[in-house]
């Protein structure tokens, strides 16, 4: 009995030491002093524990969760785990009907390639059949099992209507019931005031081209692929279309029977049939102001499309920490929890665990949420957290969140997103593409300096990375938003080392089953970027006015509309 009592006492003592040890980083390092940041916020940031992030990442990337494919058992387990963590840390539910879950209705479409046919049909000549996969790929966004298309083709240049740049490729064109033939990317420019120079705007993204043509009543779009303009080869297009593609059910912007791409050589064949000459010369003319006018070709696109369609529900997980005031200036943190699921045809390991992409972002999200919830002082205004689904399917969970936010978009002052942060050490630089476009940028610069984080410019502005992560879904409804991404400079290493780590991950692990949890990963960097984000969110919340896009930004109009709607 005496020995048992001593065992309990010793065990309790060891547990206390362990708990104190877990808290010691915060106690020993209160973090940098940031002007205007209350001591409670500094303490909350300092409490962020890399060990807790590690634990979340380990669980979310287990084989048990089967790659977290949306609509599948593993994704449901991940959502339940995240909701449970929110509840344990004292966050309030902010989803549907008093729960932590926001239902996201989705529709998955797979083109049946051997039963799908396309051809160019001249006004006076024999049809020219197109080989599916090598010459053309397509998806029927409507969700119909079959679709038959017989529609005129209209060449509309880059397929862009951008009033702020005095640009309209659709001038004088009626696209209803027709096929829009468009060029990938956007007009080339070195002028920062014209399509932002070398930086890609959303007008250059293929998703915009589909959406704009659908708004004008087109039944299909043919995007002309050219490797130098797209920045990726045809195989990337081919592989992305070979798999199932999901859409939001009822999304009015997804209404094309043929959301398609064609090879550059196929586009030249089409131009020759139509008597329009050299396609590359036409592309060059289409990029010069005042030099292009849309033209309807004397050729139709004829097609028969068969699709396998699967309708399913997934969920966003949404929670809230109540602020000291019920006024506006709420802050939102986001990270996607889905990944690619299981490849049933794989030989060997077919589970896409997604440890870095994006269990890391979820671990950071959960730890920021815990730090806010357990702070003895409430943040100035409400702080929302959402782990979103179906990012890998095209930002669909965050798109739905943007369409149905937990409070009006005009009342959300900032969204900070976390996606794929490699746990390889302590970063000394960050990429915050898009942060320079909002009036909160000076504060971001100040906090980055305090955290010894060099602010790096986008290394590949023409790739349009800003439009490829979940923050974009919030930006397009007006909410100032950007992602917190680590740069290539890490403590104890030069930039070349960091670049090699990223290149190795992209080549050997990105979207592959080998993206698995590693026991030797260093989560101190994840914790540092979590602290950085917590401080940014607290400072944004306590501002006397909401964060705004800079004058002339492409999202300024959406911001003004969202703020007008709340009045």
């Amino acid at each position: 009995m005496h020995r048992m009592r001593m065992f309990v006492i010793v065990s309790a003592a060891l547990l206390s030491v362990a708990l104190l040890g877990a808290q010691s980083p915060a106690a020993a390092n209160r973090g940098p002093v940031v002007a205007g940041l209350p001591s409670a916020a500094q303490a909350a940031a300092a409490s962020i524990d890399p060990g807790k992030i590690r634990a979340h990442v380990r669980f979310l990337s287990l084989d048990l969760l089967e790659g977290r494919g949306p609509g599948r058992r593993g994704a449901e387990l991940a959502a339940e785990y995240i909701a449970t963590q929110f509840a344990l840390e004292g966050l309030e539910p902010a989803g549907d009907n008093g729960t932590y879950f926001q239902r996201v209705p989705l529709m998955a479409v797979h083109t049946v390639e051997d039963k799908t046919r396309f051809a160019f049909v001249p006004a006076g000549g024999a049809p020219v059949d197109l080989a599916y996969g090598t010459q053309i790929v397509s998806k029927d966004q409507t969700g119909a099992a079959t679709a038959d298309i017989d529609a005129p083709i209209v060449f509309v240049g880059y397929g862009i209507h951008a009033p702020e740049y005095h640009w309209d490729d659709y001038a004088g064109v009626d696209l209803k019931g027709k096929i829009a033939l468009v060029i990938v990317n956007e007009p080339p420019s070195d002028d920062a005031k014209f399509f932002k120079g070398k930086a890609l705007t959303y007008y250059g993204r293929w998703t915009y081209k589909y959406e704009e043509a659908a708004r004008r009543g087109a039944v299909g779009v043919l995007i002309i692929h050219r490797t130098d303009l797209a920045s990726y080869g045809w195989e990337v297009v081919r592989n992305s279309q070979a798999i199932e593609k999901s859409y939001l059910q009822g999304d009015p912007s997804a209404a094309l029977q043929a959301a398609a791409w064609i090879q550059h050589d196929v586009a030249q064949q089409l131009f020759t049939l139509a008597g329009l000459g050299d396609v590359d010369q036409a592309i060059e003319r289409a990029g010069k102001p005042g030099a292009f006018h849309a033209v309807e070709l004397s050729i139709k696109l004829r097609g028969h499309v068969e699709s396998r369609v699967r309708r399913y529900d997934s969920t966003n997980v949404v929670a809230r920490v109540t602020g000291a005031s019920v006024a506006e200036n709420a802050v939102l943190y986001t990270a996607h929890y889905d990944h690619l699921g299981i490849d049933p045809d794989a030989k060997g390991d077919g589970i896409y665990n997604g440890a870095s992409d994006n269990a890391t972002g979820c671990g950071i999200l959960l730890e920021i949420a815990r730090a806010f919830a357990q702070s003895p002082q409430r943040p100035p205004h409400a702080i929302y957290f959402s782990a979103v689904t179906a990012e890998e399917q095209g930002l669909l969970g965050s798109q739905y969140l943007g369409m149905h936010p937990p409070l009006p978009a005009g009342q959300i002052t900032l969204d900070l997103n976390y996606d794929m942060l490699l746990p390889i050490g302590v970063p000394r630089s960050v990429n915050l593409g898009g942060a320079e476009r909002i009036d909160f940028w000076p504060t971001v610069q100040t906090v980055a300096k305090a955290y010894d984080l060099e602010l790096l410019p986008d290394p590949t502005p023409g790739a349009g990375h800003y439009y490829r992560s979940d923050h974009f879904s919030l930006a397009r409804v007006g909410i100032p938003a950007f992602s917190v991404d680590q740069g290539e400079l890490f403590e104890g290493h030069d930039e070349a080392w960091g670049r090699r780590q990223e290149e190795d991950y992209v080549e050997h692990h990105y979207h592959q089953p080998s993206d698995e949890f590693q026991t030797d990963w260093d989560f101190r960097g994840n914790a540092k970027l979590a602290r950085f984000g917590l401080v940014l969110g607290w400072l944004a919340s306590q501002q006397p006015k909401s964060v705004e896009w800079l004058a002339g930004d492409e999202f300024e109009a959406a911001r003004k509309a969202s703020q007008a709607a709340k009045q």
Side-chain angles (χ1 to χ4, degrees):
M1 189 72 179
H2 175 71
R3 292 179 63 183
M4 179 59 70
R5 183 181 301 171
M6 288 299 297
F7 175 80
V8 171
I9 292 171
V10 171
S11 298
L14 288 173
L15 180 59
S16 299
V17 170
L19 291 173
L20 287 171
Q23 296 169 355
S24 61
N29 178 18
R30 301 288 288 179
V33 176
V34 178
L37 186 71
S39 59
Q42 186 170 335
S47 76
I48 286 177
D49 184 351
K52 289 185 170 63
I53 298 175
R54 170 189 290 274
H56 294 314
V57 173
R58 177 188 173 278
F59 179 83
L60 289 169
S61 58
L62 289 173
D63 283 358
L64 174 70
L65 274 68
E66 302 172 347
R68 307 189 304 276
R72 304 297 188 183
R73 173 181 175 274
E76 292 180 5
L77 286 173
E80 289 287 354
Y81 173 84
I82 292 167
T84 299
Q85 295 302 315
F86 283 153
L88 287 171
E89 303 302 346
L91 282 82
E92 300 173 356
D96 299 335
N97 305 315
T99 72
Y100 290 100
F101 303 107
Q102 179 185 54
R103 174 179 169 270
V104 181
L106 297 168
M107 173 184 68
V109 176
H110 179 80
T111 303
V112 182
E113 297 187 10
D114 60 354
K115 295 183 179 180
T116 295
R117 303 282 184 271
F118 285 102
F120 294 142
V121 183
V128 177
D129 292 333
L130 302 178
Y132 193 91
T134 57
Q135 294 184 310
I136 186 171
V137 291
S138 184
K139 281 287 189 292
D140 182 353
Q141 299 177 330
T142 69
T146 61
D148 290 295
I149 301 164
D150 189 13
I153 299 172
V154 183
F155 179 46
V156 290
Y158 283 94
I160 294 172
H161 178 224
E164 67 271 36
Y165 300 124
H166 308 289
W167 191 276
D168 187 5
D169 287 325
Y170 293 98
V173 172
D174 179 9
L175 263 187
K176 189 172 182 180
K178 301 176 182 179
I179 304 293
L181 176 66
V182 304
I183 307 162
V184 69
N185 215 302
E186 64 190 8
S189 171
D190 292 323
D191 181 358
K193 296 182 180 179
F194 182 67
F195 287 98
K196 295 192 176 179
K198 294 186 180 300
L200 187 73
T201 72
Y202 187 56
Y203 293 119
R205 291 284 289 149
W206 54 268
T207 49
Y208 164 80
K209 298 173 191 293
Y210 288 160
E211 292 163 1
E212 184 63 29
R215 282 191 287 267
R216 295 171 181 271
V219 296
V221 172
L222 298 175
I223 298 178
I224 300 172
H225 175 270
R226 203 174 83 178
T227 298
D228 62 323
L229 298 179
S231 76
Y232 44 80
W234 176 256
E235 282 305 305
V236 173
V237 178
R238 169 73 181 91
N239 293 340
S240 68
Q241 295 295 315
I243 60 175
E244 188 179 76
K245 172 72 174 72
S246 289
Y247 303 92
L248 289 177
Q249 293 187 39
D251 182 1
S253 68
L256 301 175
Q257 291 179 313
W261 292 71
I262 56 172
Q263 273 266 36
H264 173 266
D265 291 348
V266 175
Q268 180 59 69
Q269 187 177 13
L270 176 58
F271 268 57
T272 301
L273 285 170
L276 295 180
D278 185 79
V279 66
D280 291 320
Q281 292 180 4
I283 290 173
E284 185 177 355
R285 286 193 303 271
K288 295 179 178 178
F292 174 78
H293 296 286
V295 57
E296 184 167 328
L297 281 59
S298 58
I299 297 172
K300 290 185 175 183
L301 179 72
R302 181 178 296 166
H304 173 76
V305 183
E306 294 201 16
S307 306
R308 290 198 300 268
V309 181
R310 176 173 65 93
R311 288 176 170 79
Y312 65 98
D313 288 342
S314 191
T315 55
N316 293 329
V317 190
V318 193
R320 172 183 58 238
V321 173
T322 303
S325 171
V326 295
E328 299 165 4
N329 280 22
V331 171
L332 173 65
Y333 290 88
T334 50
H336 76 90
Y337 71 86
D338 67 293
H339 200 52
L340 303 179
I342 298 177
D343 180 358
D345 299 321
K347 296 179 180 179
D349 184 6
I351 300 176
Y352 290 80
N353 302 82
S356 289
D357 182 16
N358 184 36
T360 56
C362 291
I364 290 170
L365 182 83
L366 287 168
E367 184 60 355
I368 295 175
R370 182 201 61 76
F372 266 111
Q374 295 186 358
S375 171
Q377 178 180 323
R378 287 185 178 183
H381 299 99
I383 310 294
Y384 286 80
F385 300 87
S386 183
V388 296
T389 187
E391 187 270 355
E392 303 289 5
Q393 297 293 319
L395 315 183
L396 299 182
S398 58
Q399 180 185 346
Y400 192 84
L401 182 70
M403 295 166 63
H404 307 278
L407 73 168
Q411 295 180 22
I412 301 174
T413 195
L414 182 67
D415 168 62
L416 294 174
N417 185 62
Y418 287 89
D419 189 356
M420 201 174 76
L421 294 108
L422 305 183
I424 56 175
V426 180
R428 294 192 58 208
S429 63
V430 284
N431 291 312
L432 306 175
E436 76 285 354
R437 298 164 58 171
I438 59 179
D439 62 8
F440 192 58
W441 178 237
T443 300
V444 173
Q445 291 175 301
T446 298
V447 178
K449 183 177 181 180
Y451 273 86
D452 188 29
L453 290 168
E454 180 183 354
L455 293 167
L456 300 179
D458 186 346
T460 54
H465 290 297
Y466 185 82
Y467 309 99
R468 301 183 183 186
S469 198
D470 286 308
H471 62 258
F472 168 61
S473 297
L474 287 309
R476 69 189 306 183
V477 298
I479 300 169
F482 61 91
S483 286
V484 178
D485 296 326
Q486 60 200 10
E488 296 176 342
L489 182 61
F490 289 79
E491 286 185 4
H493 303 281
D494 60 12
E495 288 185 73
W497 180 87
R499 191 174 305 115
R500 287 196 301 271
Q501 308 314 302
E502 182 176 358
E503 289 172 352
D504 178 74
Y505 173 77
V506 171
E507 182 177 355
H508 298 112
H509 307 294
Y510 176 66
H511 282 195
Q512 297 184 45
S514 58
D515 184 4
E516 297 183 303
F517 179 82
Q518 305 296 320
T519 57
D520 61 349
W521 271 349
D522 183 351
F523 285 88
R524 292 177 299 158
N526 280 195
K528 180 177 181 177
L529 295 183
R531 295 180 190 115
F532 174 64
L534 184 149
V535 171
L536 289 178
W538 195 295
L539 291 175
S541 174
Q542 75 179 21
Q543 281 194 166
K545 68 176 191 67
S546 64
V547 177
E548 302 296 343
W549 296 99
L550 297 181
D553 191 89
E554 64 187 295
F555 302 114
E556 181 189 20
R559 182 64 167 170
K560 289 182 177 179
S562 70
Q563 292 176 329
K566 72 186 182 184
Q567 296 174 354

